[in-house]
Amino acid sequence: MILNVNVITPSKTIWNAPSSEVILPTSTGQIGILSGHVALVTFIKVGVMRIRYQNTWIPIFVKGGFAEIEGDIVTVLVNDAERGDRIDPEIAHSELEKAQAQLSQASNSLEKIRAQLFLKQARARDTAAREFPDSLQLDIPDPIAAKNAAVSALKVIEQL
């Protein structure tokens, strides 16, 4: 069986294609979703979600939101997201090093909290960029390029 997976931010659709499996970074840990999963609504934390597409895992950086699983439809609404192949690995690694330095130089509790959040985001983006398969020979759907495939977050929310 196949899942219909949608990953949507306020400004764009990141993923709108079938998948055999999804792993979500939730506030209580990672959750694997297969066809026939029980209905569920869960918070999504900053991290890397993984979509199994044609037997290949596609990493997607996500930045907080929620997911709804209803039947074989997985809808992920997040503040921001990027597919791993859209992230420059060198820039992501540089941002990770910068975030680590910023945390070590934080002098008060507010600076430490901000630096920890920046580090968490930088680590997730770096992971998504590094995990994307270099030799990928798949025709990955690109909803950003496909103008007719775009779904606004508002339309999805109205359908919920």
Side-chain angles (χ1 to χ4, degrees), residues 43-119:
F43 288 106
I44 299 295
K45 68 176 188 172
V46 171
V48 179
M49 73 174 285
R50 292 163 179 88
I51 298 175
R52 190 169 176 101
Y53 180 73
Q54 297 181 3
N55 295 322
T56 302
W57 287 102
I58 308 297
I60 299 176
F61 162 71
V62 290
K63 193 173 173 182
F66 72 93
E68 177 190 50
I69 294 85
E70 181 70 37
D72 287 336
I73 300 172
V74 178
T75 305
V76 180
L77 299 173
V78 289
N79 293 323
D80 196 11
E82 290 178 88
R83 261 184 13 204
D85 62 330
R86 305 275 184 201
I87 301 169
D88 183 321
E90 291 178 12
I91 292 174
H93 187 70
S94 172
E95 287 175 353
L96 177 59
E97 290 175 342
K98 180 180 175 183
Q100 290 167 334
Q102 192 175 35
L103 180 59
S104 67
Q105 296 171 0
S107 60
N108 62 47
S109 59
L110 181 59
E111 286 180 5
K112 287 180 184 176
I113 291 170
R114 288 181 178 160
Q116 288 170 339
L117 179 59
F118 182 50
L119 178 61

Side-chain angles (χ1 to χ4, degrees), residues 1-4 18-21 33-37 71-72:
M1 300 284 283
I2 297 294
L3 297 169
N4 294 312
S19 170
S20 58
E21 187 175 358
I33 308 296
L34 296 169
S35 179
H37 197 283
D72 287 336

